[in-house]
Amino acid sequence: MPDISAGRLETAELTKNFADIHPPLDRHEAVVESDRCYFCYDAPCTIACPTSIDIPMFIRKIGTGNVDGAAETIFSSNILGGMCARVCPTEELCEEACVRNTAEEKPVRIGLLQRFATDHYLGGHDHFGTRAASTGKTVAVVGAGPAGLACAHELSLKGHDVVVYEARAKSGGLNEHGIATYKATDNFAQKEVDFVLGVGGIRIEHGKALGKDVSLADLKARHGAVFLGLGLQAVNALGLEGEDLAGVTDAVRWIEDLRQAADKASVPVGRRVVVIGGGMTAVDAAVQARKLGAEEVTMLYRRGPEQMNASEFERELAQINGVKLVYWAAPTRLIAEGNGIAGIEYETTRLDDSGKLVGTGRKATLACDQVMKAIGQVFVAEPLADTVALEKGRIKVDGEQRTSAAGVWAGGDCVLGGEDLTVQAVDHGKRAAQSIHASLMA
Amino acid sequence: MADLRSNFLGIKSPNPFWLASAPPTDKQYNVERAFKAGWGGVVWKTLGEDPEVVNVSGPRYGATHGGDRRLAGLNNIELITDRPLEVNLREIAEVKKNFPDRALVVSLMVPCEEKNWTSIVKRVEATGADGIELNFGCPHGMSERGMGSAVGQVPEYIEMVTRWCKAASRMPVIVKLTPNITDIRYPARAAHKGGADAVSLINTVSSIVSVDLDNFAPVPTIDGKGSHGGYCGPAVKPIALNMVAEIARDLETAGLPISGIGGIGTWRDAAEFIALGCGTVQVCTAVMTYGFKIVEEMIDGLSHYMDTKGFRTIDDFRGMAVPNVTDWRYLNLNYVAKAKIDQDLCIKCGRCHIACEDTSHQAITHLVNGVRHFEVKDEECVGCNLCVNVCPVDGCITMEPMKPGTIDPRTGRAVSDKYANWTTHPNNPTAVGVAAE
């Protein structure tokens, strides 16, 4: 049987391995860094931010000692600014746009400054914002992930009461269940949920799954509007024989189990792990497998580094942690030994003259004890029972996040164009809330 | 190899870099450390009469900072030396004996009576010091007692005290001027009339450096209260340069030796003061920020600069900028320059655009064909230089003079090759008759 076991490392080592990946700036570091901001006109960083945070303004406020004011600038655009400061791929968003890259190839550390301001604010405030007078209207939000929470908070500020229906026992969505442990330490996801709810007017009902415990028709009947922040519920299958072998797991599920485990030493991991995929989930799984004590971790990706969804920073993170990256490798066979996985066979690939990915015919095998599948997640539409139009398997929305169904909005990963980013989900939720408000008050 | 040796009023020093009369020159210990570090001379911290003055025992400095907490300006409420006169005189004599090749000038401040000045001048002379500097500058504390800037603000007093000191001593007399007046030429002329061998300037500028917003008191705060202090450091350099230039180009004081003081911290600062006519420069805030070692950079930098320019001695370029300091009315109104942005150096921060758009002449683009791009619109640019000053990249924006004969797209007129100033301009109601062309 494959060698998969818990407790490969001592607790002290695990604690160190899963500590905060980017330690926060202290006050002096934050002030020095804030000095580096040029306060650009029509700032490229703000343009690059999906939630359009006025970055030069919040940095200027840090520099003048107005740290709470800085946080208010952030939260007024992005109520989950604390988590975004931790998980945003800033190297591809605000920090990539920073003019300091052109100047000296060293952007202002916007993510860490944002964390400095938001951490400071959360240390002294239990919520952000003041609710407008009650409108007497209620809105249903399905899903307590980033999109749903952002939508609920914005609606609450506008004076509406919100009921959030969440299938799971805990709120936070991917922030709670999907993010690598070392990116959101100290139970931050739950602290942030409490901070969002602190504004009042938002009630979360856990254990209420759409299509099972509540129906869309029912929600529409009971509320003035409905926002769907459903996320993605299933993962893609490899389409190979043997996916049910012992030792073949979904990376998403494994990351969630690890995240929820009070004692990391209790989570089993293979001695030799192969992660299939090239996105953030693949990197999160591979790096954490190493941190948990796997001896050999290999990422197989069927295309090259340029096509990889994981950012350069994420690829480097994988390499620094001893993960071997194998590009141009498509799995072709899961090799069984009894009921367990023993290895994986893959074919090397290339792009043909027309740019199409083709196999080269050359095959190789890798012995392993565990295979983690991270080749994308899929939206499960059944709970909607054909009430909302889809496009390419996701919910179709317009520029205001309106679905085809009257009174129903949607956002986050469940809509077409979703990019698997917390910050984008927040933007969807916020803009949907503004549209819902306009509709309710019309 | 440049020769940095200085001979100022017959006072010789291996280089023109002196430490100004201030805390760094209050004791033998500090001064000998400075000499070992390479300083060419010092002006000993101001001596007064016994019994010695008493300083506050709380904070005596305050500061303003630029980016990264760089010290931009320092303010102090410290008085003259608070050590007994005898102790200072003994140490001065020892230092002069230990470092005979360095300049040692002694700063003085006593009540405005001839006998007081004569008495202390004689005692200083006995130490073997090279000269004296009359402190008519300190704007805080001592001025309340009728000394320091209280004297420096009254030209007649300056002239009178200078005359007493000259009469009492063989030593060169330098008069240190306060900037806390409206026109620096009057005190300089008075010093000149009194027989001063040189003036030194500027002393500190009266200032409140900040207000504590919790205790609502000026900084530095002594038990809840604050008093104005004297401001110095990089922030006051422009004030000092202007005052030095005013004296250098004033017909009544032209040729009067000047020791430049005010915000000097690098060789470049020093060279600017020398170009405006200074024979030596005096430094304080920079060493109080970084220690005495900075003189190495100053010596080396000035030496390299002079080698590059082909100047063998300080005198080779001393005062070279003075003829180019003029009144506004004589500036050439036919000269036309336009800002030019080097697109290879531009980092696209947009500060030039917003500065010009919000506060000046709307002469810099933000978007060109929908793309972020910053370019000067020559038809709007008046050549004001604001964009150059706000650009974070040195050398990215430059002011390019237009060639005579080319059309200035802003005015539609050809750029003239003739010099013409306000005194003859048709819009000037007091213009003198335009010469026939």
Side-chain angles (χ1 to χ4, degrees), chain A residues 329-373:
Chain A
T332 46
R333 191 161 65 91
L334 297 171
I335 302 165
E337 205 175 275
N339 293 327
I341 187 83
I344 187 165
E345 178 194 78
Y346 62 89
E347 180 181 9
T348 57
T349 57
R350 64 179 178 86
L351 295 179
D352 69 11
D353 293 343
S354 64
K356 197 172 156 245
L357 188 73
V358 293
T360 62
R362 282 199 308 275
K363 291 192 176 171
T365 58
L366 258 176
C368 64
D369 301 291
Q370 191 173 25
V371 169
M372 296 186 188
K373 297 179 287 181

mmCIF file of all heavy atoms in Angstrom, chain A residues 329-373:
data_model
loop_
_atom_site.group_PDB
_atom_site.id
_atom_site.type_symbol
_atom_site.label_atom_id
_atom_site.label_comp_id
_atom_site.label_asym_id
_atom_site.label_seq_id
_atom_site.Cartn_x
_atom_site.Cartn_y
_atom_site.Cartn_z
ATOM 1 N N ALA A 329 3.987 17.986 -19.342
ATOM 2 C CA ALA A 329 3.800 16.602 -18.932
ATOM 3 C C ALA A 329 2.325 16.341 -18.671
ATOM 4 O O ALA A 329 1.745 16.907 -17.739
ATOM 5 C CB ALA A 329 4.612 16.311 -17.668
ATOM 6 N N ALA A 330 1.689 15.501 -19.503
ATOM 7 C CA ALA A 330 0.264 15.190 -19.344
ATOM 8 C C ALA A 330 0.115 13.762 -18.817
ATOM 9 O O ALA A 330 0.612 12.819 -19.437
ATOM 10 C CB ALA A 330 -0.443 15.346 -20.689
ATOM 11 N N PRO A 331 -0.573 13.601 -17.664
ATOM 12 C CA PRO A 331 -0.744 12.256 -17.113
ATOM 13 C C PRO A 331 -1.520 11.361 -18.075
ATOM 14 O O PRO A 331 -2.514 11.807 -18.673
ATOM 15 C CB PRO A 331 -1.561 12.493 -15.842
ATOM 16 C CG PRO A 331 -1.364 13.939 -15.527
ATOM 17 C CD PRO A 331 -1.178 14.630 -16.826
ATOM 18 N N THR A 332 -1.070 10.134 -18.230
ATOM 19 C CA THR A 332 -1.765 9.217 -19.132
ATOM 20 C C THR A 332 -2.266 7.958 -18.418
ATOM 21 O O THR A 332 -3.141 7.273 -18.895
ATOM 22 C CB THR A 332 -0.827 8.774 -20.279
ATOM 23 O OG1 THR A 332 0.452 8.422 -19.716
ATOM 24 C CG2 THR A 332 -0.629 9.905 -21.275
ATOM 25 N N ARG A 333 -1.685 7.640 -17.276
ATOM 26 C CA ARG A 333 -2.101 6.401 -16.604
ATOM 27 C C ARG A 333 -1.768 6.470 -15.119
ATOM 28 O O ARG A 333 -0.699 6.970 -14.747
ATOM 29 C CB ARG A 333 -1.363 5.213 -17.233
ATOM 30 C CG ARG A 333 -1.891 3.835 -16.819
ATOM 31 C CD ARG A 333 -1.442 2.775 -17.827
ATOM 32 N NE ARG A 333 0.006 2.603 -17.843
ATOM 33 C CZ ARG A 333 0.666 1.718 -17.083
ATOM 34 N NH1 ARG A 333 0.002 0.928 -16.247
ATOM 35 N NH2 ARG A 333 1.983 1.616 -17.153
ATOM 36 N N LEU A 334 -2.720 6.005 -14.301
ATOM 37 C CA LEU A 334 -2.450 5.873 -12.870
ATOM 38 C C LEU A 334 -2.040 4.426 -12.645
ATOM 39 O O LEU A 334 -2.758 3.500 -13.022
ATOM 40 C CB LEU A 334 -3.699 6.215 -12.052
ATOM 41 C CG LEU A 334 -4.183 7.671 -12.194
ATOM 42 C CD1 LEU A 334 -5.549 7.854 -11.534
ATOM 43 C CD2 LEU A 334 -3.173 8.626 -11.578
ATOM 44 N N ILE A 335 -0.877 4.230 -12.064
ATOM 45 C CA ILE A 335 -0.362 2.871 -11.888
ATOM 46 C C ILE A 335 -0.750 2.355 -10.509
ATOM 47 O O ILE A 335 -0.428 2.981 -9.489
ATOM 48 C CB ILE A 335 1.170 2.855 -12.060
ATOM 49 C CG1 ILE A 335 1.534 3.401 -13.452
ATOM 50 C CG2 ILE A 335 1.729 1.455 -11.851
ATOM 51 C CD1 ILE A 335 2.995 3.771 -13.612
ATOM 52 N N ALA A 336 -1.493 1.260 -10.509
ATOM 53 C CA ALA A 336 -2.009 0.709 -9.248
ATOM 54 C C ALA A 336 -1.135 -0.418 -8.743
ATOM 55 O O ALA A 336 -0.420 -1.074 -9.500
ATOM 56 C CB ALA A 336 -3.439 0.212 -9.451
ATOM 57 N N GLU A 337 -1.178 -0.564 -7.438
ATOM 58 C CA GLU A 337 -0.562 -1.728 -6.808
ATOM 59 C C GLU A 337 -1.563 -2.167 -5.751
ATOM 60 O O GLU A 337 -1.730 -1.483 -4.738
ATOM 61 C CB GLU A 337 0.770 -1.340 -6.161
ATOM 62 C CG GLU A 337 1.747 -2.493 -6.022
ATOM 63 C CD GLU A 337 3.080 -1.983 -5.482
ATOM 64 O OE1 GLU A 337 3.921 -1.525 -6.280
ATOM 65 O OE2 GLU A 337 3.240 -1.991 -4.253
ATOM 66 N N GLY A 338 -2.279 -3.227 -6.051
ATOM 67 C CA GLY A 338 -3.413 -3.584 -5.212
ATOM 68 C C GLY A 338 -4.475 -2.515 -5.381
ATOM 69 O O GLY A 338 -4.771 -2.089 -6.489
ATOM 70 N N ASN A 339 -5.005 -2.003 -4.251
ATOM 71 C CA ASN A 339 -6.020 -0.950 -4.322
ATOM 72 C C ASN A 339 -5.429 0.445 -4.198
ATOM 73 O O ASN A 339 -6.153 1.416 -4.119
ATOM 74 C CB ASN A 339 -7.050 -1.127 -3.205
ATOM 75 C CG ASN A 339 -7.868 -2.379 -3.420
ATOM 76 O OD1 ASN A 339 -8.124 -2.765 -4.568
ATOM 77 N ND2 ASN A 339 -8.240 -3.033 -2.326
ATOM 78 N N GLY A 340 -4.106 0.502 -4.153
ATOM 79 C CA GLY A 340 -3.473 1.804 -3.910
ATOM 80 C C GLY A 340 -2.682 2.292 -5.103
ATOM 81 O O GLY A 340 -2.328 1.530 -6.011
ATOM 82 N N ILE A 341 -2.404 3.574 -5.067
ATOM 83 C CA ILE A 341 -1.620 4.182 -6.142
ATOM 84 C C ILE A 341 -0.142 3.838 -5.926
ATOM 85 O O ILE A 341 0.339 3.805 -4.788
ATOM 86 C CB ILE A 341 -1.829 5.715 -6.164
ATOM 87 C CG1 ILE A 341 -1.166 6.354 -7.391
ATOM 88 C CG2 ILE A 341 -1.280 6.381 -4.906
ATOM 89 C CD1 ILE A 341 -1.993 6.297 -8.610
ATOM 90 N N ALA A 342 0.562 3.577 -7.000
ATOM 91 C CA ALA A 342 1.988 3.250 -6.881
ATOM 92 C C ALA A 342 2.831 4.140 -7.782
ATOM 93 O O ALA A 342 4.047 4.271 -7.586
ATOM 94 C CB ALA A 342 2.223 1.793 -7.244
ATOM 95 N N GLY A 343 2.168 4.753 -8.770
ATOM 96 C CA GLY A 343 2.950 5.602 -9.667
ATOM 97 C C GLY A 343 2.053 6.251 -10.706
ATOM 98 O O GLY A 343 0.842 6.002 -10.760
ATOM 99 N N ILE A 344 2.646 7.084 -11.511
ATOM 100 C CA ILE A 344 1.877 7.768 -12.540
ATOM 101 C C ILE A 344 2.708 7.793 -13.818
ATOM 102 O O ILE A 344 3.923 7.967 -13.787
ATOM 103 C CB ILE A 344 1.481 9.196 -12.074
ATOM 104 C CG1 ILE A 344 0.528 9.853 -13.063
ATOM 105 C CG2 ILE A 344 2.708 10.064 -11.852
ATOM 106 C CD1 ILE A 344 -0.170 11.082 -12.488
ATOM 107 N N GLU A 345 2.007 7.546 -14.913
ATOM 108 C CA GLU A 345 2.690 7.595 -16.201
ATOM 109 C C GLU A 345 2.255 8.876 -16.908
ATOM 110 O O GLU A 345 1.093 9.273 -16.815
ATOM 111 C CB GLU A 345 2.272 6.394 -17.046
ATOM 112 C CG GLU A 345 2.890 6.383 -18.446
ATOM 113 C CD GLU A 345 2.181 5.382 -19.348
ATOM 114 O OE1 GLU A 345 1.064 5.718 -19.834
ATOM 115 O OE2 GLU A 345 2.713 4.288 -19.555
ATOM 116 N N TYR A 346 3.202 9.570 -17.537
ATOM 117 C CA TYR A 346 2.810 10.786 -18.262
ATOM 118 C C TYR A 346 3.504 10.841 -19.609
ATOM 119 O O TYR A 346 4.538 10.199 -19.835
ATOM 120 C CB TYR A 346 3.107 12.045 -17.442
ATOM 121 C CG TYR A 346 4.574 12.274 -17.114
ATOM 122 C CD1 TYR A 346 5.398 12.997 -17.979
ATOM 123 C CD2 TYR A 346 5.122 11.787 -15.929
ATOM 124 C CE1 TYR A 346 6.726 13.228 -17.679
ATOM 125 C CE2 TYR A 346 6.452 12.000 -15.628
ATOM 126 C CZ TYR A 346 7.257 12.731 -16.504
ATOM 127 O OH TYR A 346 8.572 12.942 -16.204
ATOM 128 N N GLU A 347 2.895 11.603 -20.479
ATOM 129 C CA GLU A 347 3.441 11.786 -21.814
ATOM 130 C C GLU A 347 3.938 13.220 -21.908
ATOM 131 O O GLU A 347 3.265 14.157 -21.456
ATOM 132 C CB GLU A 347 2.357 11.556 -22.872
ATOM 133 C CG GLU A 347 2.866 11.725 -24.305
ATOM 134 C CD GLU A 347 1.763 11.511 -25.343
ATOM 135 O OE1 GLU A 347 0.581 11.401 -24.944
ATOM 136 O OE2 GLU A 347 2.091 11.486 -26.543
ATOM 137 N N THR A 348 5.117 13.401 -22.462
ATOM 138 C CA THR A 348 5.585 14.779 -22.639
ATOM 139 C C THR A 348 4.821 15.408 -23.796
ATOM 140 O O THR A 348 4.396 14.728 -24.728
ATOM 141 C CB THR A 348 7.100 14.852 -22.894
ATOM 142 O OG1 THR A 348 7.406 14.071 -24.023
ATOM 143 C CG2 THR A 348 7.877 14.366 -21.689
ATOM 144 N N THR A 349 4.645 16.734 -23.674
ATOM 145 C CA THR A 349 3.809 17.442 -24.652
ATOM 146 C C THR A 349 4.589 18.597 -25.261
ATOM 147 O O THR A 349 5.678 18.954 -24.806
ATOM 148 C CB THR A 349 2.552 18.023 -23.969
ATOM 149 O OG1 THR A 349 2.993 18.882 -22.901
ATOM 150 C CG2 THR A 349 1.661 16.929 -23.413
ATOM 151 N N ARG A 350 3.989 19.165 -26.280
ATOM 152 C CA ARG A 350 4.554 20.363 -26.896
ATOM 153 C C ARG A 350 3.438 21.072 -27.641
ATOM 154 O O ARG A 350 2.339 20.520 -27.805
ATOM 155 C CB ARG A 350 5.694 20.003 -27.850
ATOM 156 C CG ARG A 350 5.261 19.170 -29.034
ATOM 157 C CD ARG A 350 6.422 18.862 -29.983
ATOM 158 N NE ARG A 350 5.972 18.025 -31.084
ATOM 159 C CZ ARG A 350 5.432 18.488 -32.205
ATOM 160 N NH1 ARG A 350 5.275 19.789 -32.407
ATOM 161 N NH2 ARG A 350 5.031 17.660 -33.157
ATOM 162 N N LEU A 351 3.730 22.272 -28.080
ATOM 163 C CA LEU A 351 2.759 22.983 -28.905
ATOM 164 C C LEU A 351 3.142 22.731 -30.356
ATOM 165 O O LEU A 351 4.312 22.825 -30.732
ATOM 166 C CB LEU A 351 2.804 24.480 -28.619
ATOM 167 C CG LEU A 351 2.392 24.923 -27.206
ATOM 168 C CD1 LEU A 351 2.520 26.426 -27.054
ATOM 169 C CD2 LEU A 351 0.959 24.476 -26.901
ATOM 170 N N ASP A 352 2.138 22.382 -31.175
ATOM 171 C CA ASP A 352 2.461 22.199 -32.591
ATOM 172 C C ASP A 352 2.491 23.560 -33.291
ATOM 173 O O ASP A 352 2.325 24.605 -32.651
ATOM 174 C CB ASP A 352 1.487 21.216 -33.258
ATOM 175 C CG ASP A 352 0.084 21.797 -33.371
ATOM 176 O OD1 ASP A 352 -0.084 23.016 -33.122
ATOM 177 O OD2 ASP A 352 -0.844 21.031 -33.691
ATOM 178 N N ASP A 353 2.710 23.540 -34.585
ATOM 179 C CA ASP A 353 2.888 24.795 -35.323
ATOM 180 C C ASP A 353 1.679 25.722 -35.201
ATOM 181 O O ASP A 353 1.815 26.943 -35.273
ATOM 182 C CB ASP A 353 3.173 24.496 -36.800
ATOM 183 C CG ASP A 353 4.527 23.807 -36.952
ATOM 184 O OD1 ASP A 353 5.315 23.879 -35.976
ATOM 185 O OD2 ASP A 353 4.793 23.198 -38.004
ATOM 186 N N SER A 354 0.502 25.128 -34.998
ATOM 187 C CA SER A 354 -0.694 25.972 -34.885
ATOM 188 C C SER A 354 -0.937 26.386 -33.439
ATOM 189 O O SER A 354 -1.930 27.036 -33.138
ATOM 190 C CB SER A 354 -1.902 25.203 -35.438
ATOM 191 O OG SER A 354 -2.128 24.067 -34.633
ATOM 192 N N GLY A 355 -0.023 26.017 -32.537
ATOM 193 C CA GLY A 355 -0.173 26.426 -31.147
ATOM 194 C C GLY A 355 -1.024 25.463 -30.339
ATOM 195 O O GLY A 355 -1.387 25.738 -29.206
ATOM 196 N N LYS A 356 -1.374 24.312 -30.938
ATOM 197 C CA LYS A 356 -2.203 23.341 -30.233
ATOM 198 C C LYS A 356 -1.313 22.414 -29.417
ATOM 199 O O LYS A 356 -0.218 22.051 -29.838
ATOM 200 C CB LYS A 356 -3.000 22.534 -31.275
ATOM 201 C CG LYS A 356 -4.174 21.802 -30.690
ATOM 202 C CD LYS A 356 -5.031 21.187 -31.821
ATOM 203 C CE LYS A 356 -5.802 20.021 -31.245
ATOM 204 N NZ LYS A 356 -5.443 18.735 -31.800
ATOM 205 N N LEU A 357 -1.815 22.048 -28.227
ATOM 206 C CA LEU A 357 -1.037 21.155 -27.366
ATOM 207 C C LEU A 357 -1.152 19.726 -27.898
ATOM 208 O O LEU A 357 -2.247 19.205 -28.066
ATOM 209 C CB LEU A 357 -1.575 21.222 -25.935
ATOM 210 C CG LEU A 357 -0.734 20.484 -24.890
ATOM 211 C CD1 LEU A 357 0.553 21.242 -24.607
ATOM 212 C CD2 LEU A 357 -1.527 20.295 -23.604
ATOM 213 N N VAL A 358 -0.012 19.116 -28.150
ATOM 214 C CA VAL A 358 -0.038 17.734 -28.651
ATOM 215 C C VAL A 358 0.962 16.888 -27.866
ATOM 216 O O VAL A 358 1.933 17.402 -27.313
ATOM 217 C CB VAL A 358 0.328 17.666 -30.159
ATOM 218 C CG1 VAL A 358 -0.739 18.330 -31.006
ATOM 219 C CG2 VAL A 358 1.689 18.304 -30.417
ATOM 220 N N GLY A 359 0.691 15.579 -27.839
ATOM 221 C CA GLY A 359 1.618 14.661 -27.177
ATOM 222 C C GLY A 359 2.795 14.370 -28.096
ATOM 223 O O GLY A 359 2.684 14.437 -29.328
ATOM 224 N N THR A 360 3.927 14.080 -27.479
ATOM 225 C CA THR A 360 5.103 13.783 -28.302
ATOM 226 C C THR A 360 5.268 12.287 -28.495
ATOM 227 O O THR A 360 6.114 11.850 -29.278
ATOM 228 C CB THR A 360 6.378 14.304 -27.619
ATOM 229 O OG1 THR A 360 6.532 13.614 -26.376
ATOM 230 C CG2 THR A 360 6.319 15.799 -27.387
ATOM 231 N N GLY A 361 4.491 11.500 -27.739
ATOM 232 C CA GLY A 361 4.640 10.058 -27.821
ATOM 233 C C GLY A 361 5.637 9.514 -26.812
ATOM 234 O O GLY A 361 5.671 8.328 -26.523
ATOM 235 N N ARG A 362 6.481 10.407 -26.261
ATOM 236 C CA ARG A 362 7.456 9.959 -25.259
ATOM 237 C C ARG A 362 6.766 9.853 -23.897
ATOM 238 O O ARG A 362 6.077 10.780 -23.487
ATOM 239 C CB ARG A 362 8.622 10.936 -25.163
ATOM 240 C CG ARG A 362 9.624 10.800 -26.274
ATOM 241 C CD ARG A 362 10.963 11.441 -25.875
ATOM 242 N NE ARG A 362 10.813 12.809 -25.408
ATOM 243 C CZ ARG A 362 10.771 13.878 -26.220
ATOM 244 N NH1 ARG A 362 10.862 13.712 -27.515
ATOM 245 N NH2 ARG A 362 10.650 15.079 -25.726
ATOM 246 N N LYS A 363 6.984 8.745 -23.255
ATOM 247 C CA LYS A 363 6.323 8.556 -21.954
ATOM 248 C C LYS A 363 7.344 8.303 -20.862
ATOM 249 O O LYS A 363 8.458 7.862 -21.124
ATOM 250 C CB LYS A 363 5.339 7.397 -22.038
ATOM 251 C CG LYS A 363 4.144 7.734 -22.918
ATOM 252 C CD LYS A 363 3.027 6.745 -22.801
ATOM 253 C CE LYS A 363 1.850 7.246 -23.649
ATOM 254 N NZ LYS A 363 0.782 6.240 -23.759
ATOM 255 N N ALA A 364 6.934 8.643 -19.645
ATOM 256 C CA ALA A 364 7.807 8.409 -18.495
ATOM 257 C C ALA A 364 6.926 8.061 -17.307
ATOM 258 O O ALA A 364 5.713 8.323 -17.330
ATOM 259 C CB ALA A 364 8.623 9.664 -18.188
ATOM 260 N N THR A 365 7.487 7.462 -16.313
ATOM 261 C CA THR A 365 6.691 7.159 -15.115
ATOM 262 C C THR A 365 7.397 7.702 -13.875
ATOM 263 O O THR A 365 8.615 7.880 -13.851
ATOM 264 C CB THR A 365 6.483 5.635 -14.919
ATOM 265 O OG1 THR A 365 7.768 5.024 -14.834
ATOM 266 C CG2 THR A 365 5.696 5.035 -16.051
ATOM 267 N N LEU A 366 6.555 7.976 -12.892
ATOM 268 C CA LEU A 366 7.039 8.489 -11.611
ATOM 269 C C LEU A 366 6.418 7.611 -10.536
ATOM 270 O O LEU A 366 5.194 7.445 -10.497
ATOM 271 C CB LEU A 366 6.513 9.904 -11.391
ATOM 272 C CG LEU A 366 7.387 11.117 -11.619
ATOM 273 C CD1 LEU A 366 6.538 12.372 -11.412
ATOM 274 C CD2 LEU A 366 8.569 11.120 -10.658
ATOM 275 N N ALA A 367 7.231 7.044 -9.677
ATOM 276 C CA ALA A 367 6.675 6.277 -8.566
ATOM 277 C C ALA A 367 6.181 7.262 -7.518
ATOM 278 O O ALA A 367 6.804 8.300 -7.296
ATOM 279 C CB ALA A 367 7.755 5.379 -7.963
ATOM 280 N N CYS A 368 5.041 6.993 -6.914
ATOM 281 C CA CYS A 368 4.536 7.910 -5.889
ATOM 282 C C CYS A 368 3.601 7.211 -4.928
ATOM 283 O O CYS A 368 3.146 6.096 -5.190
ATOM 284 C CB CYS A 368 3.848 9.109 -6.528
ATOM 285 S SG CYS A 368 2.381 8.664 -7.455
ATOM 286 N N ASP A 369 3.333 7.880 -3.819
ATOM 287 C CA ASP A 369 2.436 7.331 -2.808
ATOM 288 C C ASP A 369 1.107 8.067 -2.766
ATOM 289 O O ASP A 369 0.159 7.622 -2.148
ATOM 290 C CB ASP A 369 3.100 7.448 -1.419
ATOM 291 C CG ASP A 369 4.413 6.702 -1.370
ATOM 292 O OD1 ASP A 369 4.390 5.465 -1.414
ATOM 293 O OD2 ASP A 369 5.472 7.376 -1.333
ATOM 294 N N GLN A 370 1.106 9.259 -3.370
ATOM 295 C CA GLN A 370 -0.128 10.057 -3.323
ATOM 296 C C GLN A 370 -0.197 10.928 -4.571
ATOM 297 O O GLN A 370 0.825 11.492 -4.984
ATOM 298 C CB GLN A 370 -0.138 10.934 -2.063
ATOM 299 C CG GLN A 370 -1.476 11.589 -1.790
ATOM 300 C CD GLN A 370 -1.510 12.313 -0.448
ATOM 301 O OE1 GLN A 370 -0.481 12.730 0.076
ATOM 302 N NE2 GLN A 370 -2.705 12.459 0.117
ATOM 303 N N VAL A 371 -1.398 11.012 -5.135
ATOM 304 C CA VAL A 371 -1.629 11.901 -6.282
ATOM 305 C C VAL A 371 -2.709 12.893 -5.884
ATOM 306 O O VAL A 371 -3.768 12.503 -5.390
ATOM 307 C CB VAL A 371 -2.086 11.110 -7.537
ATOM 308 C CG1 VAL A 371 -2.582 12.065 -8.618
ATOM 309 C CG2 VAL A 371 -0.947 10.254 -8.066
ATOM 310 N N MET A 372 -2.378 14.181 -6.041
ATOM 311 C CA MET A 372 -3.379 15.210 -5.743
ATOM 312 C C MET A 372 -3.808 15.864 -7.051
ATOM 313 O O MET A 372 -2.969 16.361 -7.805
ATOM 314 C CB MET A 372 -2.797 16.265 -4.802
ATOM 315 C CG MET A 372 -2.433 15.709 -3.435
ATOM 316 S SD MET A 372 -1.923 17.060 -2.344
ATOM 317 C CE MET A 372 -1.349 16.118 -0.936
ATOM 318 N N LYS A 373 -5.101 15.869 -7.280
ATOM 319 C CA LYS A 373 -5.638 16.444 -8.513
ATOM 320 C C LYS A 373 -5.986 17.914 -8.288
ATOM 321 O O LYS A 373 -6.762 18.236 -7.395
ATOM 322 C CB LYS A 373 -6.896 15.686 -8.944
ATOM 323 C CG LYS A 373 -6.639 14.221 -9.270
ATOM 324 C CD LYS A 373 -7.927 13.530 -9.673
ATOM 325 C CE LYS A 373 -8.847 13.297 -8.477
ATOM 326 N NZ LYS A 373 -10.091 12.603 -8.850
#
